[in-house]
Amino acid sequence: MGILEKIAEIEHEISRTQKNKATEYHLGLLKAKLAKYRQQLLEPTGKGGAKGEGFDVMKSGDARVAMVGFPSVGKSTLLSSMTSTHSEAAGYEFTTLTCIPGVISYNGANIQLLDLPGIIEGASQGKGRGRQVISVAKTADLILMMLDAGKSDQQKMLLERELEAVGIRLNKKPPNIYVKQKKVGGVKFTNTVPLTHCNEKLIMTVLHEYKIFNADVIFREDCTVDEFIDVIQGNRVYMTCLYVYNKVDQISIEEVDRLARMPHHVVISCEMNLNMDYLLEKIWEYLALVRVYTKKPGNAPDLGPEDGIILRGGATIEHCCHALHRSIAAQLRYAIVWGTSTKFSPQRVGLHHKLDHEDVIQIVKK
């Protein structure tokens, strides 16, 4: 029996097992086995034949955004309208057969936008080059899930299921669980909050399935057994996702209003160029990028459209120094900052001061 048959068998067993106190250990064991088989499917150990053409696109710019979705939802049209890159768009499915990169210039940042081929149901098991598409999506900072506003919400659920199966968790935080394997001493289980989804016996069952017999396990929040399995696997990717509903010009205004009010949703029409500026604002917001300006002593700050340094949200003076030159951080005496990150303006700060969007910095060396 192959891995795909084993996965299908376990999924069938999970679907027909009633969820109650008596079956939670059995279900926990099945979920652990399912995660192991899916891992084997993604990382084959055997030597395969000749490899097909890959989707490796060199990472460039300040951030990377990947578009995923079913065929013919408007990914190529969106790429062509938001960037200077032309991606072939046509009325039939699978027009795009490889990964096409484009660059969005916004707020002085260069954001790389990837147009990936449409994925189909079963992509996580390798159908329709789905595994390559999903592996590229894992390297992105933000996923744009392109959906057809004229179709049912089933498309969103199917895409989420495919991404979940390969370890991509959308709009979720990593579970606050600490697991450290030891050589001896058995399993030591501690929880700092009351647990409603798991208990010690279920945790032991899952650990034994992974052949872990000596470990320290600390639950710092009330997590499910699926989240515990994610921590043991250790290769899960937690990403922000923006659900983009295209072709809103073909549906009623009530339906547009319903979709637009849902969390993490944006409604657009690529064909009629509707709401594209709002989509750009949301991409910037979800990437959490900040732009800071530099100032020489005695001179006015450089505030031109091409000036400024693009940093990730939560960046400090140290990150800014590294962006300028790797030797500056070691020579820094202090920095003077004007902007919203300071208690008063200007303020003298050290290496670990966090910066806000559009702060102005003057660096003073030793």
Side-chain angles (χ1 to χ4, degrees):
M1 187 188 284
I3 292 178
L4 287 174
E5 288 82 7
K6 286 178 182 175
I7 288 173
E9 194 178 283
I10 292 173
E11 283 175 341
H12 177 63
E13 177 75 14
I14 290 172
S15 66
R16 67 190 183 93
T17 303
Q18 286 187 339
K19 291 172 179 64
N20 54 46
K21 281 281 182 188
T23 60
E24 66 179 8
Y25 303 115
H26 178 58
L27 280 170
L29 198 62
L30 288 174
K31 285 173 179 175
K33 283 182 177 173
L34 185 63
K36 277 174 74 177
Y37 286 137
R38 280 182 175 157
Q39 183 66 21
Q40 287 175 26
L41 191 67
L42 289 173
E43 297 172 6
T45 50
K47 291 180 181 176
K51 292 183 179 177
E53 185 192 346
F55 288 160
D56 293 336
V57 176
M58 190 175 169
K59 208 167 185 175
S60 67
D62 302 295
R64 175 182 265 197
V65 178
M67 287 189 285
V68 298
F70 289 123
S72 295
V73 290
K75 297 189 294 296
S76 299
T77 314
L78 182 70
L79 182 87
S80 300
S81 60
M82 290 182 88
T83 70
S84 56
T85 308
H86 175 70
S87 182
E88 191 63 39
Y92 52 86
E93 295 189 344
F94 297 108
T95 318
T96 306
L97 296 172
T98 186
C99 178
I100 299 168
V103 177
I104 305 170
S105 295
Y106 185 72
N107 273 354
N110 290 325
I111 300 164
Q112 189 181 42
L113 183 65
L114 300 181
D115 177 17
L116 294 167
I119 61 178
I120 56 174
E121 202 175 342
S124 57
Q125 295 165 7
K127 288 186 185 173
R129 305 194 80 181
R131 216 179 284 169
Q132 290 162 300
V133 172
I134 289 165
S135 66
V136 173
K138 271 187 170 182
T139 66
D141 302 301
L142 171 69
I143 286 182
L144 285 190
M145 190 180 283
M146 291 290 289
L147 301 158
D148 191 332
K151 292 180 180 172
S152 70
D153 288 340
Q154 188 73 15
Q155 53 176 342
K156 179 183 162 188
M157 287 166 55
L158 288 170
L159 277 169
E160 282 180 337
R161 195 186 305 158
E162 293 299 329
L163 295 174
E164 284 269 332
V166 295
I168 296 176
R169 303 286 178 260
L170 301 177
N171 296 328
K172 289 181 183 175
K173 287 183 179 177
N176 197 350
I177 302 171
Y178 172 80
V179 178
K180 186 181 180 183
Q181 291 192 48
K182 302 182 294 186
K183 292 185 178 176
V184 290
V187 174
K188 188 182 176 186
F189 177 75
T190 317
N191 56 296
T192 58
V193 291
L195 299 181
T196 56
H197 306 292
C198 290
N199 56 40
E200 192 169 349
K201 187 182 171 187
L202 181 55
I203 298 304
M204 295 292 186
T205 309
V206 173
L207 286 172
H208 288 173
E209 174 61 31
Y210 280 92
K211 295 186 170 50
I212 298 171
F213 302 104
N214 303 292
D216 287 334
V217 180
I218 304 171
F219 271 64
R220 296 194 179 102
E221 62 183 10
D222 187 16
C223 297
T224 61
V225 68
D226 295 296
E227 289 173 321
F228 179 59
I229 290 167
D230 284 352
V231 173
I232 294 175
Q233 288 276 9
N235 60 351
R236 302 302 190 231
V237 181
Y238 295 86
M239 304 184 74
T240 46
C241 175
L242 205 51
Y243 302 96
V244 182
Y245 279 86
N246 188 22
K247 306 181 186 178
V248 292
D249 50 306
Q250 299 174 9
I251 58 172
S252 67
I253 193 72
E254 291 82 16
E255 183 65 8
V256 172
D257 188 56
R258 183 186 74 84
L259 292 172
R261 288 178 186 277
M262 290 166 75
H264 312 299
H265 282 52
V266 177
V267 291
I268 62 162
S269 171
C270 295
E271 208 65 45
M272 297 182 74
N273 207 25
L274 298 175
N275 217 23
M276 303 295 270
D277 50 349
Y278 179 67
L279 174 60
L280 261 177
E281 285 174 28
K282 293 302 279 185
I283 288 172
W284 176 268
E285 181 191 320
Y286 273 62
L287 285 170
L289 297 175
V290 294
R291 185 184 187 190
V292 297
Y293 300 99
T294 53
K295 176 185 177 304
K296 290 177 184 173
N299 292 32
D302 303 318
L303 301 174
E306 297 301 315
D307 294 316
I309 303 163
I310 304 296
L311 302 167
R312 294 297 166 96
T316 61
I317 295 288
E318 188 174 7
H319 293 111
C320 181
C321 290
H322 287 308
L324 289 165
H325 194 274
R326 63 177 180 269
S327 66
I328 292 177
Q331 299 169 11
L332 181 85
R333 190 170 159 208
Y334 59 86
I336 301 170
V337 178
W338 292 258
T340 54
S341 69
T342 57
K343 289 178 183 173
F344 46 87
S345 204
Q347 184 179 341
R348 198 169 134 167
V349 297
L351 266 181
H352 303 296
H353 173 78
K354 282 190 179 178
L355 296 165
D356 282 356
H357 185 48
E358 295 191 336
D359 277 359
V360 175
I361 303 155
Q362 180 180 311
I363 287 168
V364 179
K365 291 185 184 178
K366 288 173 184 171

